[in-house]
C-alpha cells in the first residue's frame, strides 16, 4: 500500500446530441483538459477523512449531494478488504458543479484511480468505467455513461446509448468558448420536458430528435476534416432544434445571441439546458477575445476557452 497516491480526471462538454441521445441518437462529447480534477489519498494514523469543496470531515458523516461519493469509497474499501484503513482523501477541482461539465463523473474517475494507485493495483479502462458508474448511478439515477467515458480520456467520444463509447479522431483548429449562465442547469427537469412533448406531440417532436442525431453524424466528419465553418453551422442548427424542444432558457439565448453577434461561427447550449452553460466556436485569437468580452458584457458568470492539440 502506498503512503500517498493521486488520481486525475477533467471536465467535459457535450458538443452535439443532447437529449436526442436519450432516444437512441448519437452524441459527441469533448474533453476539457484545462478544467482538472485531482484526488489525493494519504495514509494517516487513524480515521477516514475527506476534504472536498463543500465538505470537510469523516467519511461516515458524508451525506446528501456527497452520498454517491461516500458509497463509492465504501465499495472501494470493501473491494480492497480495507474497510477500516485510515486515510485522508483530498479532492481538488476547477470544474464548476451543476453546469453539465461532468463534475460528478470526473470526481468518481479521479477517486477510483487514486484508490487503485493507493492499493498498488492495476486498473483497466473497463473496470474504471464500471467503478465510476457506481457513483453516477447513485447521484444521477440512470447515467448514460457519456460523462464517465469523456472525463476519463483526453480524446473526443462518440456515444450511442447501450453501446461502448468510441474514441474519435479530431483535427480542430478553432477554439471552443464555454460560458456559464449562472443559472443552475436542471437536467432531470429538461429530460422531462422533452419526454412530455414526445408523449403528447410525437409528430411535432420526433423530427427534432431525429434531426439532432443527423447533425451529430455530419459533425463527426466536420471534426475529422477540420471543417470549422460547417461545424459552426451545425451548432446553430442544433440550437434551433433544442429550442424547439423547450430546453433552452432566456439566459442561454442571451449569451448565444451575444456570441453570434460578436463573430462566433456557431453557438448553442451544452448539456441538459434550462440554464447551465453554452458553447461558442471561434476561428481566430482575435475572435476569441471579442466573443469572451461580449459574453462577459451579456452577464456570463464565468468563461473558459479550450484549444485542442491534433488528436
Amino acid at each position: 500500500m502506498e503512503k500517498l497516491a493521486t488520481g486525475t480526471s477533467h471536465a467535459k462538454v457535450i458538443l452535439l446530441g443532447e437529449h436526442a441521445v436519450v432516444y437512441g441518437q448519437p452524441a459527441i462529447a469533448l474533453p476539457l483538459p484545462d478544467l482538472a480534477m485531482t484526488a489525493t489519498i494519504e495514509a494517516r494514523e487513524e480515521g477516514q477523512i475527506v476534504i472536498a469543496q463543500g465538505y470537510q470531515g469523516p467519511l461516515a458523516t458524508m451525506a446528501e449531494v456527497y452520498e454517491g461519493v461516500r458509497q463509492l469509497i465504501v465499495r472501494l474499501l470493501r473491494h480492497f478488504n480495507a474497510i477500516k484503513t485510515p486515510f485522508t482523501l483530498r479532492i481538488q477541482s476547477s470544474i464548476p458543479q451543476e453546469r453539465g461539465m461532468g463534475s460528478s463523473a470526473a470526481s468518481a474517475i479521479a477517486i477510483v484511480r487514486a484508490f487503485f494507485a493507493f492499493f498498488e493495483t492495476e486498473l483497466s479502462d473497463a473496470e474504471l468505467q464500471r467503478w465510476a458508474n457506481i457513483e453516477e448511478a447513485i447521484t444521477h439515477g440512470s447515467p448514460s455513461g457519456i460523462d464517465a467515458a469523456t472525463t476519463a480520456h483526453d480524446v473526443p467520444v462518440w456515444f450511442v446509448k447501450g453501446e461502448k463509447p468510441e474514441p474519435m479522431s479530431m483535427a480542430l483548429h478553432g477554439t471552443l468558448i464555454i460560458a456559464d449562465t449562472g443559472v443552475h442547469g436542471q437536467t432531470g427537469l429538461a429530460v422531462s420536458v422533452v419526454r412530455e412533448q414526445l408523449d403528447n406531440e410525437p409528430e411535432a417532436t420526433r423530427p427534432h430528435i431525429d434531426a439532432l442525431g443527423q447533425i451529430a453524424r455530419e459533425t463527426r466528419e466536420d471534426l475529422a476534416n477540420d471543417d470549422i465553418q460547417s461545424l459552426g453551422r451545425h451548432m446553430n442548427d442544433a440550437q434551433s432544434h433544442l429550442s424547439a424542444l423547450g430546453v433552452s432558457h432566456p439566459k442561454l439565448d442571451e449569451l448565444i445571441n451575444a456570441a453570434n453577434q460578436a463573430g462566433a461561427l456557431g453557438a448553442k447550449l451544452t448539456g441538459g439546458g434550462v440554464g447551465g452553460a453554452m458553447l461558442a466556436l471561434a476561428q481566430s485569437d482575435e475572435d476569441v477575445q471579442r466573443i469572451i468580452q461580449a459574453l462577459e458584457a451579456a452577464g456570463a458568470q464565468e468563461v473558459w476557452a479550450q484549444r485542442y492539440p491534433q488528436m
Side-chain angles (χ1 to χ4, degrees), residues 117-283:
F118 189 64
F119 289 103
E120 300 180 84
T121 303
E122 291 188 6
L123 177 65
S124 70
D125 186 65
E127 286 181 297
L128 175 62
Q129 297 298 312
R130 181 178 67 81
W131 278 105
N133 279 329
I134 291 172
E135 186 274 340
E136 284 286 270
I138 294 168
T139 301
H140 295 299
S142 181
S144 67
I146 192 169
D147 282 14
T150 314
T151 57
H153 299 101
D154 292 331
V155 297
V157 171
W158 174 262
F159 186 86
V160 178
K161 191 174 183 179
E163 299 180 10
K164 184 179 179 180
E166 181 182 342
M168 293 172 52
S169 61
M170 181 171 74
L172 182 64
H173 285 90
T175 298
L176 271 185
I177 300 166
I178 306 100
D180 179 5
T181 62
V183 179
H184 284 195
Q186 302 179 68
T187 301
L189 174 62
V191 169
S192 297
V193 168
V194 176
R195 184 182 298 116
E196 183 277 327
Q197 288 195 47
L198 190 59
D199 288 344
N200 292 302
E201 301 178 58
E203 292 184 1
T205 306
R206 175 60 68 175
H208 295 298
I209 292 172
D210 293 342
L212 287 166
Q214 184 57 33
I215 289 169
R217 294 183 187 93
E218 294 173 3
T219 298
R220 189 173 191 175
E221 299 301 316
D222 297 341
L223 292 176
N225 299 323
D226 195 21
D227 191 342
I228 61 173
Q229 298 291 335
S230 179
L231 173 57
R233 290 192 295 271
H234 282 136
M235 290 172 66
N236 287 331
D237 289 346
Q239 177 61 26
S240 296
H241 291 291
L242 290 164
S243 292
L245 290 173
V247 294
S248 196
H249 183 276
K251 195 61 186 179
L252 280 167
D253 295 340
E254 186 177 351
L255 296 186
I256 289 166
N257 290 336
N260 283 328
Q261 291 173 10
L265 298 176
K268 61 181 287 294
L269 65 83
T270 180
V274 196
M278 55 77 68
L279 299 175
L281 180 64
Q283 186 166 16

Side-chain angles (χ1 to χ4, degrees), residues 10-136:
H10 51 70
K12 73 91 178 74
V13 288
I14 296 180
L15 179 64
L16 285 159
E18 296 93 338
H19 292 286
V21 72
V22 176
Y23 301 98
Q25 297 292 344
I28 297 172
L30 301 182
L32 296 175
D34 291 350
L35 294 177
M37 175 83 70
T38 302
T40 303
I41 303 175
E42 187 173 7
R44 58 184 291 137
E45 291 297 321
E46 60 180 38
Q48 296 174 329
I49 303 300
V50 179
I51 301 172
Q53 182 180 0
Y55 180 82
Q56 295 187 17
L59 172 66
T61 60
M62 295 182 78
E64 298 179 349
V65 296
Y66 287 101
E67 182 59 18
V69 170
R70 189 189 70 82
Q71 294 266 4
L72 173 61
I73 294 170
V74 170
R75 294 274 291 274
L76 285 163
L77 291 171
R78 190 180 302 141
H79 172 74
F80 290 112
N81 195 27
I83 198 68
K84 295 188 180 297
T85 295
F87 63 84
T88 299
L89 171 64
R90 290 180 174 84
I91 304 171
Q92 297 173 298
S93 175
S94 60
I95 306 173
Q97 297 181 337
E98 297 182 351
R99 294 298 187 272
M101 295 187 190
S103 175
S104 173
S107 65
I109 292 290
I111 289 168
V112 172
R113 283 174 166 162
F115 269 94
F116 271 76
F118 189 64
F119 289 103
E120 300 180 84
T121 303
E122 291 188 6
L123 177 65
S124 70
D125 186 65
E127 286 181 297
L128 175 62
Q129 297 298 312
R130 181 178 67 81
W131 278 105
N133 279 329
I134 291 172
E135 186 274 340
E136 284 286 270

